[in-house]
Amino acid sequence: DAFAAQGPPPPAQRRQTLALLGSAVSGGAAVLGARPAGAVQGTDVKKSELIQVPARSGYRGYMFEKPAGFKRLASVNDPSGFLFRNSNDTLFSFASRAEKRVADKAFTPDLFVDDYRAKFVNSSGSSFQLIKSSNAPDRFDEKLGVKYYEVEYVVRTQLSFSFDSLKSLHYLTTFASTDDCLYIMNCQAQDDFWDKQGPTLQKIAQSFTVTS
C-alpha cells in the first residue's frame, strides 16, 4: 500500500510509522467492533477518551487523548500500537507505536526529514514539503528523560493505481525519544482540510505523553 511504501529503509521505526496509517486507508485493519464498547480502550466512537497505554517489557507507558468520532482499528502491521480513523473520512487518522532504537545514536528529526526529502522527489511523482522541524526539543520531561520533537510536513503522492488518487496529505508527527526507545504519534489529514481538521490533530499530538 502507498503509505507502507513511504517509510525510508533504515531505521525501522520511520518506515513503520506511516505503515500504521496506511493500513487504515487501504483496509489492512479491522474495526474492533466484536467486543462491547468500553471493553477495550478507544472502542466507543461517540466518546472522547484518555487512552492510557501500560508499560510492557522493555517499553514505557504512554497516554494520549482520543476525540469523539474516531474508530479504533486493529493494525495488522503493529498489533501493539493504536490506530484510529475518523468515521466520516478515512484519511483523517492518527496512530501510535513504540520502537526500540540504538542507544548510542541520539535521535534527531533531521534523520527523518533527510530521508523523506530523498524519497519524495518529482522524478517519482511525489513531493515533500517541510513546514516545521527542529533538532531542539519542543518539550522536555527532565524527570523521565524524554525529549519530544514535532515534525509537520505535507506529502503529495499517489495512494493507489487510480488516476484520481494523487493526494496531498498533511502530517504532524511527534517523536518522544528516550535512551533506548522512540514513541511515535503520527497524525494525518488531507491538506485541503487541514484548517478544519488540523486543530483536532494538534490537540492529540499535544496530549501524547510518556508516563513512566
Side-chain angles (χ1 to χ4, degrees), residues 137-149 177:
D138 293 277
R139 291 183 275 154
F140 178 47
D141 186 331
E142 187 172 0
K143 182 178 180 180
L144 295 179
V146 184
K147 296 179 180 179
Y148 296 85
Y149 303 89
S177 177

Side-chain angles (χ1 to χ4, degrees), residues 2 6 120 125-127 155-159 165-169:
Q6 283 189 17
F120 296 106
S126 302
S127 65
V155 170
R156 184 165 177 79
T157 192
Q158 198 162 354
L159 303 184
S165 68
L166 187 65
K167 301 288 185 182
S168 291
L169 300 174

Side-chain angles (χ1 to χ4, degrees), residues 11-132:
Q13 64 261 27
R14 295 199 295 278
R15 180 174 64 255
Q16 294 170 340
T17 301
L18 293 183
L20 275 174
L21 292 185
S23 66
V25 175
S26 65
V31 177
L32 295 175
R35 307 171 192 178
V40 177
Q41 289 189 90
T43 54
D44 190 340
V45 178
K46 298 179 180 180
K47 178 183 176 183
S48 295
E49 186 177 349
L50 182 65
I51 305 297
Q52 300 190 58
V53 182
R56 54 191 173 94
S57 179
Y59 295 93
R60 305 186 188 191
Y62 63 89
M63 67 181 184
F64 59 90
E65 182 73 26
K66 180 203 81 73
F70 285 84
K71 297 178 182 178
R72 183 181 171 190
L73 298 99
S75 173
V76 174
N77 295 313
D78 180 20
S80 68
F82 281 71
L83 169 62
F84 295 90
R85 69 180 177 192
N86 187 264
S87 302
N88 300 316
D89 181 355
T90 59
L91 294 177
F92 185 17
S93 310
F94 62 97
S96 71
R97 67 176 298 119
E99 294 286 346
K100 288 291 186 181
R101 67 177 187 82
V102 179
D104 61 347
K105 293 185 178 179
F107 171 81
T108 67
D110 277 355
L111 299 172
F112 174 86
V113 171
D114 290 347
D115 280 336
Y116 271 51
R117 278 181 170 150
K119 189 171 186 68
F120 296 106
V121 293
N122 289 335
S123 60
S124 67
S126 302
S127 65
F128 173 81
Q129 176 191 354
L130 181 65
I131 297 174
K132 173 191 173 184

